[in-house]
Amino acid sequence: MGRIGWVLSVVSIAAVVAGGIVFLSYSNDINRARAAVASGARIANTIAGPIEYAEQGDGMPLLSIHGAGGGWDQGLANVADLVGEGFRVIAPSRFGYLRTAIPSDVSPAAQADAHVALLSSLKVDRAVVVGVSAGSRSAIELALRHPDRVSALILIVPGTFAPDSPVMVEGSRGSAFVFWLVNAGADFAWWATEKIAPSVLIRFIGVPPELAKVASTGERNRVMAIVRSVQPLSRRFPGINIDSAPDLQPLPLDTIRAPTLVVSARDDLFNTLPAAKFAAGKIPNARLVVYETGGHLLVGHEEDVRKVVSDFLAAANIRPSSIPPGEGAASVKAARTRQSQADFTKKLR
């Protein structure tokens, strides 16, 4: 073998080895992601059809409605640091996400009815409702259509209606590329982009990359954890496609009677601030909190938001440590059993 042939052989072997390492790394990561969403949740057979959901904690019921790219897992994560103990968090997967099927009617109103069907199947009469991003659409519809089921309404970076400046995906070429990945359900491409150009994905989830770069280590880790939590993308993209083509219309927000908190950031790349201002301006006595920076994930304001939520709930006379009316010792015991099961699942991961 000549010198050139020898060099080519070495390069070929190196390429095969490198490709094998990359494939092994990807396989390990994607298998972990698939295993994570395959456990920890259950299916409720409701009058609206089968709905996937997970629960955590006990006490005051709280319905956590995830945004685009989410599922029950992100629903739990969204409120993990938002509220303290004393809440029974119920986190459904919305239409098209993970194991919740897509019905013929995918409107926010139909999704709100499905939320209520889930609560009814769990024998929950009323709940604090937290809607994040695109999840705010069905949260608002829930407060409008089923006011007796909502003890308080919290809208975080709401992807809802604004008359003059609509919510939209950030318009860079990188975001256009990522949106193509979403439509392709490309698990490997999302994984590779995370490894090679994470700033592209950070921008795609609505956070200015320069903000994430100068954030604390803990906040940078939180941002990247959310980027990774989109995997497996292929099991979420049907829901993402529903969220990406909303038919948003003005709603009778002035009829909402639940105490309402709305939070957004001026530099949210999804442009949720106009929608937040519009909703807070229409809903009677709603409280609006706006941060100058933070992006769509409110980076750098985790403690601030936690305090705002705590103060809001206290002002609404919602006591998280109390047992909701109609729930006796048996219900509390069952809730604690659910928490123990969740803790056991975490230990296995």
Side-chain angles (χ1 to χ4, degrees):
M1 179 183 295
R3 182 179 181 83
I4 294 178
W6 180 84
V7 170
L8 291 176
S9 297
V10 170
V11 170
S12 298
I13 292 171
V16 170
V17 170
I21 293 172
V22 168
F23 179 76
L24 180 61
S25 179
Y26 164 70
S27 296
N28 289 337
D29 287 350
I30 198 64
N31 287 338
R32 278 195 295 268
R34 289 169 180 165
V37 298
S39 62
R42 63 196 76 179
I43 302 293
N45 292 312
T46 76
I47 60 173
I51 298 173
E52 183 183 40
Y53 75 101
E55 290 190 63
Q56 185 170 291
D58 59 79
M60 175 67 67
L62 184 152
L63 181 70
S64 178
I65 307 174
H66 68 82
W72 64 265
D73 50 344
Q74 284 193 30
L76 292 183
N78 286 340
V79 298
D81 296 315
L82 193 63
V83 297
E85 296 181 355
F87 286 94
R88 174 188 175 185
V89 178
I90 301 164
S93 296
R94 293 192 290 109
F95 296 152
Y97 286 98
L98 301 178
R99 292 189 293 166
T100 296
I102 300 176
S104 57
D105 183 356
V106 296
S107 66
Q111 181 69 84
D113 292 345
H115 294 328
V116 170
L118 174 62
L119 293 178
S120 295
S121 74
L122 299 176
K123 297 180 171 29
V124 172
D125 293 330
R126 287 166 61 84
V128 175
V129 175
V130 178
V132 176
S133 191
S136 296
R137 299 166 190 167
S138 56
I140 287 176
E141 288 281 9
L142 202 163
L144 287 169
R145 298 167 67 83
H146 308 277
D148 58 322
R149 310 301 291 267
V150 181
S151 55
L153 179 64
I154 301 174
L155 308 175
I156 307 292
V157 292
T160 52
F161 176 81
D164 301 317
S165 185
V167 173
M168 63 185 68
V169 176
E170 192 274 331
S172 69
R173 290 183 179 178
S175 291
F177 167 71
V178 176
F179 195 70
W180 174 83
L181 295 184
V182 169
N183 279 281
D187 291 342
F188 178 77
W190 183 276
W191 177 87
T193 305
E194 177 205 331
K195 303 301 181 184
I196 298 170
S199 63
V200 172
L201 300 185
I202 291 171
R203 179 176 292 278
F204 183 73
I205 61 173
V207 176
E210 59 274 15
L211 176 65
K213 186 176 181 179
V214 299
S216 68
T217 300
E219 283 288 78
R220 288 198 303 273
N221 290 340
R222 182 171 74 91
V223 170
M224 290 310 301
I226 292 173
V227 167
R228 286 190 291 272
S229 73
V230 175
Q231 291 281 38
L233 173 60
S234 57
R235 299 186 186 178
R236 305 182 199 261
F237 85 88
I240 296 174
N241 280 338
I242 293 173
D243 288 336
S244 299
D247 181 19
L248 300 180
Q249 303 291 334
L251 298 170
L253 301 180
D254 58 329
T255 65
I256 291 178
R257 292 294 175 259
T260 302
L261 171 67
V262 187
V263 183
S264 185
R266 202 170 297 280
D267 64 346
D268 183 347
L269 297 183
F270 286 159
N271 193 42
T272 63
L273 182 56
K277 288 182 175 180
F278 181 78
K282 293 291 184 180
I283 299 173
N285 302 313
R287 181 183 178 189
L288 174 65
V289 176
V290 177
Y291 297 105
E292 290 298 314
T293 63
H296 198 59
L297 302 184
L298 303 177
V299 175
H301 298 290
E302 191 171 18
E303 290 300 320
D304 298 333
V305 176
R306 184 185 178 100
K307 185 176 188 309
V308 164
V309 169
S310 177
D311 291 347
F312 163 74
L313 292 175
N317 199 30
I318 293 175
R319 308 180 186 281
S321 60
S322 63
I323 299 173
E327 291 200 8
S331 297
V332 174
K333 182 178 180 181
R336 287 174 178 167
T337 299
R338 287 189 296 269
Q339 178 64 60
S340 297
Q341 291 171 341
D343 291 341
F344 179 71
T345 300
K346 289 180 180 179
K347 291 177 181 178
L348 290 178
R349 291 180 183 174

